[in-house]
Amino acid sequence: MSPVLQSPNSGPYTSVKWESSATPDPVSDPPRWKKVLYERQPFPDNYVDKSFLEELRKNIYVRRYSYWTVVFESAMVIQQLCSVCSFSVIWWYMDQDLLSPQKLCGVGLAFTLLGYLLFDAVDKGAGRKECGRTRWDDLKSSLVFIAFTYGFSPVLKTLTESISTDTIYAMSVLMLIGHLVFFDYGANAAVVSSTVSINMAIFASVCLASRLPRSLHAFTMVTFAIQIFALWPSLQKKLRAYTPRTYICVTFLFALFSVAGLLSISGVGALLFFLLLMSVVFLCPYCLIRLQLFKDNIHGPWDEAEIKEDLSRFLD
């Protein structure tokens, strides 16, 4: 029995009040849903409150692109397309015996030395000081590579004799396409792998070099592949970071050289390649910016939790 409340001016049983223990009326005071997991509520598991969509947000992480900024970034794609084109043109000239390996070695060596000096001059040797690598180390690595490549050039020449030429051409095309796909263009994506990209390019060069007339041709072709697929992109990235105007001028001259070289082989091929370059430079950036208007990403309480606090101290 509940305690009795008695007024001092009344009799013992005149003003008696019982303590109310009844539950609130669900009609007048309905229970409110709470977004908690540790409390039992009179709602089904799939219940959705009216306030559920109040936290809805749209396009909160959308990046705003500038057209000419995207055009500038597309120059790296142009560089790789032109590298593949130039490599193919040089291989065709050597296969048709229109270019001697001695001339290609001489020109390649001259441009390599020029690029080596320019690589240090762009950042005034800051990158070399950070990695702690000396010029003597570079010279030793170059001599070891040249010696091994020249020594194994007869093996490279006869490596794929048992494989048909059509298969070699098909594998080379697939490897060069893979090189373009996996190349590091600066995007943070899982498909990016500089190691896979350069290995696919070297594999394509070995396959194509095995179809050249002599071992010296194979040695020259593999060396040229290292220069254009490994050394040349490193110089371009440094020019892009320190001297953007020079980078654009070099990209334009390189594209002009590639189109001119392809024009000497096939006019239709040169036209198609020129249209491809123009599409990558001007049309693709326009489409990218245009499609941003139709982006509709939604974010709300259903998203996974993001831990923004630095938890590295717990890993020690």
Side-chain angles (χ1 to χ4, degrees):
M1 185 174 181
S2 300
V4 177
L5 300 178
Q6 183 176 0
S7 175
N9 300 327
S10 60
Y13 300 104
T14 55
S15 180
V16 178
K17 294 183 179 180
W18 298 86
E19 184 180 2
S20 176
S21 60
T23 58
D25 187 4
V27 177
S28 61
D29 191 12
R32 299 189 61 182
W33 175 79
K34 300 178 182 179
K35 191 172 64 174
V36 293
L37 296 176
Y38 53 83
E39 182 178 342
R40 184 180 296 276
Q41 303 182 67
F43 300 99
D45 294 338
N46 59 349
Y47 176 79
V48 177
D49 190 72
K50 295 181 179 179
S51 62
F52 184 73
L53 294 179
E54 290 180 356
E55 302 180 21
L56 175 65
R57 300 293 184 269
K58 292 184 178 182
N59 300 334
I60 59 178
Y61 299 117
V62 173
R63 297 179 57 184
R64 304 298 177 183
Y65 296 98
S66 173
Y67 177 75
W68 291 109
T69 302
V70 180
V71 170
F72 174 79
E73 296 296 335
S74 66
M76 187 172 294
V77 182
I78 297 299
Q79 288 278 351
Q80 290 309 115
L81 290 174
C82 292
S83 296
V84 172
C85 178
S86 300
F87 175 79
S88 303
V89 169
I90 294 298
W91 176 85
W92 186 87
Y93 269 88
M94 294 191 68
D95 184 57
Q96 299 296 321
D97 205 15
L98 299 176
L99 177 64
S100 64
Q102 293 83 358
K103 290 183 179 179
L104 182 59
C105 280
V107 174
L109 179 61
F111 276 100
T112 301
L113 292 177
L114 179 62
Y116 181 78
L117 298 177
L118 186 61
F119 189 84
D120 282 343
V122 169
D123 61 350
K124 299 180 181 179
R128 181 178 297 278
K129 293 178 181 178
E130 291 180 0
C131 65
R133 188 175 179 84
T134 63
R135 289 185 173 85
W136 174 244
D137 295 332
D138 297 337
L139 180 60
K140 289 191 296 184
S141 300
S142 301
L143 292 177
V144 169
F145 168 76
I146 292 174
F148 271 91
T149 306
Y150 186 78
F152 282 100
S153 57
V155 179
L156 298 178
K157 176 66 180 64
T158 59
L159 186 62
T160 60
E161 284 186 347
S162 60
I163 304 176
S164 65
T165 303
D166 293 338
T167 304
I168 290 296
Y169 291 162
M171 286 194 304
S172 301
V173 170
L174 291 177
M175 291 299 105
L176 291 176
I177 292 176
H179 164 73
L180 295 174
V181 172
F182 290 100
F183 185 78
D184 184 10
Y185 298 102
N188 186 14
V191 73
V192 174
S193 177
S194 300
T195 304
V196 174
S197 177
I198 186 63
N199 285 336
M200 296 181 82
I202 299 303
F203 180 79
S205 67
V206 170
C207 290
L208 292 176
S210 64
R211 288 299 183 264
L212 293 177
R214 291 182 293 276
S215 300
L216 183 60
H217 289 72
F219 163 74
T220 306
M221 203 66 218
V222 174
T223 305
F224 178 70
I226 293 293
Q227 292 170 342
I228 199 169
F229 291 126
L231 303 180
W232 177 246
S234 300
L235 177 60
Q236 289 301 313
K237 289 181 179 179
K238 182 161 287 192
L239 290 176
R240 177 174 174 267
Y242 289 91
T243 56
R245 293 184 178 179
T246 305
Y247 171 73
I248 292 298
C249 293
V250 171
T251 302
F252 175 77
L253 294 177
F254 190 32
L256 191 63
F257 169 79
S258 301
V259 174
L262 190 57
L263 182 63
S264 63
I265 300 176
S266 172
V268 177
L271 178 61
L272 294 177
F273 185 70
F274 175 77
L275 294 177
L276 175 62
L277 296 182
M278 292 297 102
S279 300
V280 171
V281 174
F282 298 109
L283 182 61
C284 291
Y286 172 80
C287 293
L288 174 64
I289 296 176
R290 184 67 179 174
L291 291 175
Q292 295 298 310
L293 302 176
F294 303 97
K295 181 174 287 187
D296 193 15
N297 292 338
I298 59 176
H299 303 270
W302 53 83
D303 291 341
E304 296 180 358
E306 295 182 6
I307 302 177
K308 298 183 179 180
E309 184 181 358
D310 186 11
L311 303 179
S312 58
R313 63 180 183 273
F314 297 107
L315 303 177
D316 297 336

